[in-house]
Amino acid sequence: LFKPIISGTVARTTTEANSGFGFGIYYWMINLGAFLAPLFVSYLKGFSWSYVFTASAIYCALMLLPALFLYQDPARPASTWTLAEVLGSAAMVLGDARFMLMIFIYSGFWILYFQNFGSVLWFLRDFVDPAPVNRFFASIGIPFSFDAEHVTSINAGTIILLQVVVSRIVKNWKPLPTMIMGMVIGAGGFVCLAFASSAWILVLGIAVFSIGEMTAHPKYYSYVGLVAPADRKAVYMGYAFLYGVIGSLVGSNLGAAMYEAMLKPLVGQTGISPEIRNFWLIFAALDVVAVAGLVVYNRFFAEDTDTSNRLARRIMIVIYAGLIVVGAYFFYSSTFDVETISFRTLVQSLIMLIIGVGGLIISGKRR
């Protein structure tokens, strides 16, 4: 709920000249928390997991203080909408075929990102010896045990160190070409994972992917903020977060299924480098497909014309139909095909079903 509001505020208070840098700062702050939290978790879980959840609740409560006493709403645009008009406008965004097409193409990149919360962690546990990293920290007098929670810290730490620098470099670059470049760099990170014969190469792969992420993602927000109507920026920003729903639902389930089929049977075996390489290169190839899609989008759909809107609408009708099929599959598999209901997958599948059905209805009315 709060991320679209924050990103909508950034979009409203920045201009075309500084929006890329503004969203870079916003993204930097998000990752500051993502860097620190796993370090606290690593410490607190040594006592009890209940300490972890209690601390999380306290942190969330503390966030209310600056929101209540320091935050000020930005100036409203000249035209304001009633709640009913906002809800109606939110539904009509599904009919903005060019905008929705860009989101679905960009979601391909986030299939890779969500491997950081699944297959990368299992790969570290089953195939990577953390001893070289642990020895390095021991040599400088820091007791440290490289574990799964530190993967997120590598991603966030890289962004903390380099986000402002990268944002400065790309601040005057056009959003779509910059997003394409970031996605290409991200694919390079997964190529590194394909050859991760040591823990340090794993760290390098995560860091390289993070550089691609910090290059592409703030420009994505910047692009959405620039194309959104002034009085509907928060609505568009809300839809912009669909990349996470799609990336998480598809990426998490795809990664788990692939790992179960391709790598888990190989645990404890030797001479399996080709199998490991193929696993990670499949994800790199998925990113290349998304890059190709965004290149085509930049060439044929970036400009708002009758031809580009008509073609995008036809493509989105197919995508919306696909969302209904995929959403129905995950709804069934998370509810009726398991012993315990997977509520996260259930909610995500319902979102996909709602978007798919709503998109088909609205697209049909606009034909």
Side-chain angles (χ1 to χ4, degrees):
L1 292 176
F2 64 87
K3 272 192 174 183
I5 297 173
I6 297 173
S7 56
T9 301
V10 175
R12 185 176 288 180
T13 55
T14 56
T15 65
E16 185 172 357
N18 62 14
S19 64
F21 187 68
F23 279 103
I25 299 276
Y26 161 59
Y27 203 56
W28 187 91
M29 293 302 298
I30 291 175
N31 281 280
L32 179 61
F35 173 75
L36 294 175
L39 302 181
F40 283 115
V41 168
S42 183
Y43 175 74
L44 291 175
K45 74 176 185 179
F47 299 97
S48 170
W49 277 102
S50 64
Y51 283 35
V52 175
F53 296 111
T54 302
S56 299
I58 293 173
Y59 298 152
C60 290
L62 290 175
M63 289 194 298
L64 286 173
L65 298 179
L68 288 173
F69 299 109
L70 298 177
Y71 175 77
Q72 293 182 344
D73 285 323
R76 292 188 177 187
S79 62
T80 57
W81 295 50
T82 65
L83 178 60
E85 289 172 330
V86 169
L87 294 175
S89 174
M92 293 309 294
V93 174
L94 292 173
D96 189 340
R98 289 173 48 255
F99 174 69
M100 296 301 295
L101 178 60
M102 185 272 296
I103 290 177
F104 279 94
I105 294 172
Y106 183 61
S107 298
F109 176 68
W110 287 84
I111 292 176
L112 277 68
Y113 172 81
F114 281 99
Q115 302 315 305
N116 289 321
F117 304 96
S119 58
V120 172
L121 307 184
W122 304 324
F123 179 68
L124 171 62
R125 178 197 64 195
D126 295 335
F127 296 99
V128 178
D129 181 9
V133 175
N134 296 340
R135 282 198 299 267
F136 168 77
F137 281 97
S139 69
I140 58 176
I142 300 176
F144 181 79
S145 178
F146 186 41
D147 208 344
E149 61 262 24
H150 300 121
V151 169
T152 302
S153 291
I154 296 168
N155 173 257
T158 304
I159 293 172
I160 290 171
L161 290 174
L162 299 177
Q163 180 67 78
V164 174
V165 175
V166 171
S167 293
R168 283 290 187 186
I169 293 172
V170 305
K171 69 176 183 177
N172 295 323
W173 296 5
K174 292 182 178 180
L176 285 175
T178 308
M179 290 165 60
I180 291 169
M181 184 179 73
M183 292 165 70
V184 170
I185 295 172
F190 272 68
V191 171
C192 292
L193 292 179
F195 296 91
S197 56
S198 76
W200 286 117
I201 300 179
L202 176 77
V203 171
L204 175 65
I206 298 169
V208 170
F209 178 83
S210 302
I211 293 172
E213 178 191 343
M214 75 179 79
T215 302
H217 204 47
K219 282 292 185 178
Y220 168 72
Y221 287 130
S222 174
Y223 179 78
V224 174
L226 293 174
V227 301
D231 55 353
R232 284 184 286 173
K233 286 188 183 291
V235 174
Y236 270 69
M237 283 297 176
Y239 273 95
F241 283 93
L242 281 176
Y243 74 84
V245 175
I246 299 167
S248 175
L249 181 61
V250 177
S252 299
N253 287 282
L254 178 64
M258 287 177 54
Y259 194 90
E260 190 76 18
M262 297 178 65
L263 293 189
K264 191 172 182 179
L266 305 177
V267 175
Q269 299 184 29
T270 59
I272 56 174
S273 295
E275 288 82 0
I276 291 175
R277 190 158 52 243
N278 291 338
F279 178 82
W280 294 118
L281 289 179
I282 288 173
F283 286 104
L286 287 173
D287 190 35
V288 171
V289 171
V291 167
L294 207 55
V295 169
V296 172
Y297 181 92
N298 189 45
R299 174 68 177 82
F300 295 103
F301 298 96
E303 294 187 11
D304 187 4
T305 66
D306 289 340
T307 301
S308 64
N309 280 293
R310 185 167 54 251
L311 181 57
R313 191 172 300 116
R314 291 173 181 171
I315 296 173
M316 284 309 304
I317 287 174
V318 175
I319 292 176
Y320 286 138
L323 275 183
I324 295 174
V325 174
V326 173
Y329 168 77
F330 281 117
F331 177 81
Y332 175 81
S333 63
S334 65
T335 308
F336 301 104
D337 199 31
V338 290
E339 294 182 1
T340 303
I341 295 176
S342 174
F343 286 100
R344 188 185 73 166
T345 303
L346 173 62
V347 171
Q348 291 173 328
S349 64
L350 286 174
I351 292 173
M352 295 182 77
L353 284 170
I354 291 170
I355 293 171
V357 173
L360 279 181
I361 293 172
I362 294 172
S363 297
K365 289 181 178 180
R366 289 197 170 192
R367 295 183 66 178

Short mmCIF file of all heavy atoms in Angstrom, two decimals, residues 145-180:
data_model
loop_
_atom_site.label_atom_id
_atom_site.label_comp_id
_atom_site.label_asym_id
_atom_site.label_seq_id
_atom_site.Cartn_x
_atom_site.Cartn_y
_atom_site.Cartn_z
N SER A 145 30.04 -15.77 9.42
CA SER A 145 29.68 -17.02 8.76
C SER A 145 28.74 -16.69 7.61
O SER A 145 27.60 -16.28 7.83
CB SER A 145 29.01 -17.97 9.76
OG SER A 145 28.62 -19.17 9.13
N PHE A 146 29.23 -16.82 6.40
CA PHE A 146 28.46 -16.48 5.20
C PHE A 146 27.27 -17.42 5.07
O PHE A 146 27.44 -18.63 4.95
CB PHE A 146 29.36 -16.57 3.97
CG PHE A 146 28.71 -16.10 2.70
CD1 PHE A 146 27.91 -14.98 2.67
CD2 PHE A 146 28.93 -16.78 1.50
CE1 PHE A 146 27.32 -14.55 1.49
CE2 PHE A 146 28.36 -16.35 0.32
CZ PHE A 146 27.55 -15.23 0.32
N ASP A 147 26.07 -16.86 5.10
CA ASP A 147 24.86 -17.68 5.10
C ASP A 147 23.82 -17.06 4.18
O ASP A 147 24.03 -16.00 3.58
CB ASP A 147 24.30 -17.81 6.52
CG ASP A 147 23.53 -19.11 6.72
OD1 ASP A 147 23.19 -19.75 5.71
OD2 ASP A 147 23.28 -19.47 7.89
N ALA A 148 22.66 -17.72 4.09
CA ALA A 148 21.64 -17.34 3.11
C ALA A 148 21.17 -15.90 3.27
O ALA A 148 20.96 -15.19 2.27
CB ALA A 148 20.45 -18.30 3.21
N GLU A 149 21.00 -15.42 4.51
CA GLU A 149 20.47 -14.07 4.71
C GLU A 149 21.40 -12.99 4.18
O GLU A 149 20.96 -11.86 3.91
CB GLU A 149 20.15 -13.82 6.18
CG GLU A 149 21.34 -13.90 7.10
CD GLU A 149 21.45 -15.24 7.79
OE1 GLU A 149 20.91 -16.22 7.25
OE2 GLU A 149 22.08 -15.32 8.87
N HIS A 150 22.68 -13.33 3.99
CA HIS A 150 23.63 -12.32 3.53
C HIS A 150 23.55 -12.07 2.03
O HIS A 150 24.12 -11.11 1.54
CB HIS A 150 25.05 -12.75 3.92
CG HIS A 150 25.22 -12.90 5.40
ND1 HIS A 150 25.60 -14.09 5.99
CD2 HIS A 150 25.02 -12.03 6.42
CE1 HIS A 150 25.65 -13.94 7.30
NE2 HIS A 150 25.29 -12.70 7.59
N VAL A 151 22.84 -12.95 1.30
CA VAL A 151 22.64 -12.71 -0.13
C VAL A 151 21.91 -11.39 -0.35
O VAL A 151 22.29 -10.58 -1.21
CB VAL A 151 21.87 -13.88 -0.78
CG1 VAL A 151 21.42 -13.53 -2.19
CG2 VAL A 151 22.73 -15.14 -0.80
N THR A 152 20.87 -11.15 0.44
CA THR A 152 20.14 -9.89 0.33
C THR A 152 21.02 -8.72 0.69
O THR A 152 20.94 -7.65 0.07
CB THR A 152 18.90 -9.91 1.25
OG1 THR A 152 18.07 -11.01 0.91
CG2 THR A 152 18.11 -8.63 1.13
N SER A 153 21.91 -8.89 1.67
CA SER A 153 22.80 -7.80 2.06
C SER A 153 23.80 -7.47 0.96
O SER A 153 24.18 -6.31 0.80
CB SER A 153 23.53 -8.17 3.36
OG SER A 153 22.65 -8.18 4.46
N ILE A 154 24.24 -8.49 0.21
CA ILE A 154 25.15 -8.21 -0.91
C ILE A 154 24.43 -7.37 -1.96
O ILE A 154 24.97 -6.36 -2.46
CB ILE A 154 25.64 -9.53 -1.54
CG1 ILE A 154 26.47 -10.33 -0.54
CG2 ILE A 154 26.48 -9.25 -2.80
CD1 ILE A 154 26.75 -11.75 -1.00
N ASN A 155 23.21 -7.77 -2.30
CA ASN A 155 22.42 -7.02 -3.27
C ASN A 155 22.20 -5.59 -2.81
O ASN A 155 22.49 -4.62 -3.54
CB ASN A 155 21.09 -7.74 -3.48
CG ASN A 155 20.11 -6.96 -4.35
OD1 ASN A 155 19.17 -6.36 -3.82
ND2 ASN A 155 20.31 -6.96 -5.65
N ALA A 156 21.71 -5.43 -1.60
CA ALA A 156 21.41 -4.09 -1.09
C ALA A 156 22.68 -3.29 -0.83
O ALA A 156 22.72 -2.08 -1.10
CB ALA A 156 20.59 -4.21 0.19
N GLY A 157 23.73 -3.94 -0.33
CA GLY A 157 24.98 -3.23 -0.06
C GLY A 157 25.62 -2.67 -1.31
O GLY A 157 26.16 -1.56 -1.31
N THR A 158 25.55 -3.44 -2.40
CA THR A 158 26.08 -2.95 -3.68
C THR A 158 25.32 -1.70 -4.13
O THR A 158 25.91 -0.72 -4.60
CB THR A 158 25.97 -4.04 -4.76
OG1 THR A 158 26.64 -5.22 -4.32
CG2 THR A 158 26.60 -3.56 -6.07
N ILE A 159 24.01 -1.73 -3.96
CA ILE A 159 23.18 -0.59 -4.34
C ILE A 159 23.47 0.61 -3.46
O ILE A 159 23.56 1.76 -3.94
CB ILE A 159 21.69 -0.97 -4.30
CG1 ILE A 159 21.39 -2.01 -5.39
CG2 ILE A 159 20.79 0.25 -4.48
CD1 ILE A 159 20.01 -2.60 -5.34
N ILE A 160 23.66 0.40 -2.16
CA ILE A 160 23.99 1.49 -1.25
C ILE A 160 25.30 2.16 -1.66
O ILE A 160 25.42 3.39 -1.67
CB ILE A 160 24.06 0.98 0.20
CG1 ILE A 160 22.66 0.60 0.71
CG2 ILE A 160 24.69 2.02 1.12
CD1 ILE A 160 22.68 -0.12 2.03
N LEU A 161 26.29 1.35 -2.01
CA LEU A 161 27.60 1.89 -2.36
C LEU A 161 27.60 2.63 -3.69
O LEU A 161 28.30 3.65 -3.85
CB LEU A 161 28.63 0.76 -2.41
CG LEU A 161 29.02 0.11 -1.07
CD1 LEU A 161 29.93 -1.08 -1.31
CD2 LEU A 161 29.73 1.14 -0.18
N LEU A 162 26.81 2.16 -4.65
CA LEU A 162 26.96 2.66 -6.01
C LEU A 162 25.75 3.38 -6.58
O LEU A 162 25.84 3.97 -7.66
CB LEU A 162 27.32 1.48 -6.95
CG LEU A 162 28.62 0.74 -6.64
CD1 LEU A 162 28.78 -0.44 -7.59
CD2 LEU A 162 29.81 1.68 -6.72
N GLN A 163 24.58 3.33 -5.89
CA GLN A 163 23.36 3.88 -6.49
C GLN A 163 23.47 5.36 -6.84
O GLN A 163 23.09 5.78 -7.94
CB GLN A 163 22.18 3.66 -5.55
CG GLN A 163 20.86 4.21 -6.10
CD GLN A 163 20.38 3.45 -7.32
OE1 GLN A 163 19.85 2.36 -7.18
NE2 GLN A 163 20.55 4.01 -8.51
N VAL A 164 23.99 6.16 -5.93
CA VAL A 164 24.08 7.59 -6.19
C VAL A 164 25.03 7.85 -7.36
O VAL A 164 24.76 8.70 -8.23
CB VAL A 164 24.55 8.34 -4.92
CG1 VAL A 164 24.78 9.83 -5.23
CG2 VAL A 164 23.50 8.20 -3.82
N VAL A 165 26.13 7.10 -7.41
CA VAL A 165 27.08 7.27 -8.51
C VAL A 165 26.43 6.89 -9.84
O VAL A 165 26.52 7.64 -10.83
CB VAL A 165 28.33 6.40 -8.27
CG1 VAL A 165 29.27 6.48 -9.47
CG2 VAL A 165 29.04 6.84 -7.00
N VAL A 166 25.77 5.73 -9.87
CA VAL A 166 25.12 5.29 -11.10
C VAL A 166 24.02 6.26 -11.52
O VAL A 166 23.88 6.60 -12.70
CB VAL A 166 24.55 3.86 -10.93
CG1 VAL A 166 23.69 3.46 -12.12
CG2 VAL A 166 25.68 2.86 -10.74
N SER A 167 23.24 6.73 -10.56
CA SER A 167 22.16 7.67 -10.87
C SER A 167 22.71 8.96 -11.45
O SER A 167 22.11 9.55 -12.36
CB SER A 167 21.33 7.98 -9.60
OG SER A 167 20.63 6.83 -9.18
N ARG A 168 23.84 9.42 -10.93
CA ARG A 168 24.48 10.62 -11.49
C ARG A 168 24.92 10.39 -12.93
O ARG A 168 24.79 11.27 -13.79
CB ARG A 168 25.68 11.00 -10.63
CG ARG A 168 25.34 11.69 -9.33
CD ARG A 168 24.80 13.08 -9.57
NE ARG A 168 24.62 13.82 -8.31
CZ ARG A 168 24.05 15.00 -8.23
NH1 ARG A 168 23.57 15.57 -9.32
NH2 ARG A 168 23.91 15.59 -7.06
N ILE A 169 25.45 9.20 -13.19
CA ILE A 169 25.96 8.91 -14.54
C ILE A 169 24.82 8.88 -15.56
O ILE A 169 24.94 9.41 -16.66
CB ILE A 169 26.72 7.57 -14.54
CG1 ILE A 169 28.00 7.69 -13.71
CG2 ILE A 169 27.04 7.12 -15.97
CD1 ILE A 169 28.72 6.37 -13.50
N VAL A 170 23.70 8.25 -15.18
CA VAL A 170 22.62 8.01 -16.15
C VAL A 170 21.48 9.03 -16.04
O VAL A 170 20.47 8.89 -16.71
CB VAL A 170 22.03 6.59 -15.98
CG1 VAL A 170 23.14 5.54 -16.09
CG2 VAL A 170 21.28 6.44 -14.66
N LYS A 171 21.65 10.07 -15.22
CA LYS A 171 20.52 10.96 -14.94
C LYS A 171 19.99 11.67 -16.19
O LYS A 171 18.80 12.00 -16.26
CB LYS A 171 20.89 11.99 -13.87
CG LYS A 171 21.93 13.04 -14.32
CD LYS A 171 22.14 14.07 -13.22
CE LYS A 171 23.11 15.15 -13.68
NZ LYS A 171 23.29 16.20 -12.64
N ASN A 172 20.84 11.90 -17.19
CA ASN A 172 20.39 12.58 -18.40
C ASN A 172 20.13 11.62 -19.55
O ASN A 172 19.88 12.05 -20.68
CB ASN A 172 21.43 13.63 -18.82
CG ASN A 172 21.55 14.77 -17.82
OD1 ASN A 172 20.57 15.19 -17.24
ND2 ASN A 172 22.77 15.23 -17.59
N TRP A 173 20.20 10.32 -19.28
CA TRP A 173 19.95 9.33 -20.33
C TRP A 173 18.46 9.06 -20.42
O TRP A 173 17.72 9.17 -19.43
CB TRP A 173 20.69 8.03 -20.01
CG TRP A 173 22.18 8.16 -20.00
CD1 TRP A 173 22.92 9.30 -20.13
CD2 TRP A 173 23.12 7.11 -19.79
NE1 TRP A 173 24.26 9.03 -20.03
CE2 TRP A 173 24.42 7.70 -19.83
CE3 TRP A 173 23.02 5.74 -19.58
CZ2 TRP A 173 25.58 6.95 -19.66
CZ3 TRP A 173 24.16 4.99 -19.42
CH2 TRP A 173 25.43 5.59 -19.46
N LYS A 174 18.00 8.68 -21.60
CA LYS A 174 16.59 8.35 -21.80
C LYS A 174 16.25 7.08 -21.01
O LYS A 174 17.06 6.15 -20.94
CB LYS A 174 16.29 8.16 -23.28
CG LYS A 174 16.39 9.45 -24.09
CD LYS A 174 16.03 9.21 -25.55
CE LYS A 174 16.09 10.51 -26.35
NZ LYS A 174 15.74 10.28 -27.78
N PRO A 175 15.04 7.02 -20.44
CA PRO A 175 14.70 5.90 -19.56
C PRO A 175 14.77 4.53 -20.23
O PRO A 175 15.41 3.60 -19.71
CB PRO A 175 13.27 6.22 -19.11
CG PRO A 175 13.16 7.70 -19.21
CD PRO A 175 13.99 8.07 -20.40
N LEU A 176 14.10 4.35 -21.38
CA LEU A 176 14.01 3.00 -21.96
C LEU A 176 15.38 2.44 -22.35
O LEU A 176 15.69 1.29 -22.01
CB LEU A 176 13.05 3.00 -23.14
CG LEU A 176 11.55 3.07 -22.76
CD1 LEU A 176 10.69 3.19 -24.01
CD2 LEU A 176 11.15 1.85 -21.95
N PRO A 177 16.25 3.18 -23.06
CA PRO A 177 17.57 2.63 -23.36
C PRO A 177 18.38 2.32 -22.10
O PRO A 177 19.15 1.35 -22.07
CB PRO A 177 18.23 3.75 -24.19
CG PRO A 177 17.10 4.50 -24.79
CD PRO A 177 16.02 4.46 -23.76
N THR A 178 18.21 3.13 -21.05
CA THR A 178 18.92 2.88 -19.80
C THR A 178 18.42 1.60 -19.13
O THR A 178 19.20 0.80 -18.59
CB THR A 178 18.76 4.07 -18.84
OG1 THR A 178 19.12 5.27 -19.50
CG2 THR A 178 19.63 3.89 -17.61
N MET A 179 17.11 1.38 -19.17
CA MET A 179 16.54 0.14 -18.64
C MET A 179 17.09 -1.07 -19.40
O MET A 179 17.43 -2.09 -18.79
CB MET A 179 15.02 0.18 -18.74
CG MET A 179 14.36 1.16 -17.78
SD MET A 179 12.63 1.52 -18.21
CE MET A 179 11.91 -0.12 -18.10
N ILE A 180 17.19 -0.95 -20.72
CA ILE A 180 17.73 -2.05 -21.53
C ILE A 180 19.16 -2.36 -21.13
O ILE A 180 19.54 -3.53 -20.95
CB ILE A 180 17.64 -1.69 -23.03
CG1 ILE A 180 16.17 -1.66 -23.47
CG2 ILE A 180 18.44 -2.67 -23.88
CD1 ILE A 180 15.96 -1.06 -24.85
#
